[in-house]
Amino acid sequence: MVEQAVCLSDACEECGGVRKGWVVQLVKSGRLRWEVEWECPGCLVSHQWVWGPAPAHVRDLLIDRHGVERLKVVGEVQKKGVLLKVFREVFGVPIAEAQEFSRDAMSSGYEGTRVEVALLSRLLRERGVEVEAGSGACG
């Protein structure tokens, strides 16, 4: 399982005490998932998880803490539709956005979280697309 997390701290909305939390993005059962868990000494633990890509504010927290990784297609892609299909499958985005992600992956590199890039890399390689991935990929 691939995962990435950020620890948070803020005031509890229920009792006003200081609560600690974790925001996590992971790949589970071959799919993206994100989770938020809060623990307050004065209240019970709250946990939320959602299948699919993380919302922008969660993704931004992960990137701010851990940086971006890049996925770059190397070599010739036999079926261009494979890239679109994988980006749509992972992120649930419209075709236009999947095309933009695909263009990035074939030029300067698609930038995402480590979790996103790990899943995309695996799925693309399984479909015969050669990629480089990591924080040092693409220069």
Side-chain angles (χ1 to χ4, degrees):
M1 179 170 36
V2 179
E3 64 180 53
Q4 208 168 25
V6 174
C7 184
L8 306 170
S9 178
D10 74 359
C12 177
E13 296 169 356
E14 298 296 320
C15 72
V18 177
R19 67 181 182 170
K20 285 198 168 194
W22 286 95
V23 173
V24 182
Q25 185 184 45
L26 58 129
V27 173
K28 188 171 184 178
S29 302
R31 296 173 54 197
L32 279 179
R33 181 167 129 165
W34 63 278
E35 302 178 355
V36 178
E37 182 174 300
W38 288 103
E39 183 176 359
C40 174
C43 300
L44 299 175
V45 172
S46 166
H47 187 84
Q48 172 189 14
W49 60 267
V50 178
W51 288 106
H57 69 281
V58 169
R59 191 172 185 269
D60 290 346
L61 285 169
L62 293 164
I63 288 172
D64 287 348
R65 172 67 174 91
H66 299 287
V68 295
E69 294 215 0
R70 287 193 188 99
L71 171 97
K72 181 162 176 53
V73 173
V74 293
E76 193 66 29
V77 177
Q78 300 302 317
K79 297 179 183 176
K80 304 280 192 243
V82 170
L83 291 171
L84 294 176
K85 183 171 173 44
V86 168
F87 278 109
R88 291 194 74 206
E89 180 181 317
V90 169
F91 296 112
V93 295
I95 288 175
E97 198 168 347
Q99 288 172 324
E100 181 183 334
F101 293 164
S102 297
R103 280 191 297 272
D104 290 345
M106 293 178 65
S107 60
S108 60
Y110 169 81
E111 293 186 339
T113 67
R114 181 174 57 85
V115 174
E116 294 164 350
V117 168
L119 178 58
L120 289 165
S121 297
R122 192 191 85 215
L123 294 174
L124 287 168
R125 287 179 179 131
E126 286 174 357
R127 290 167 172 95
V129 178
E130 190 178 341
V131 297
E132 290 179 350
S135 55
C138 315

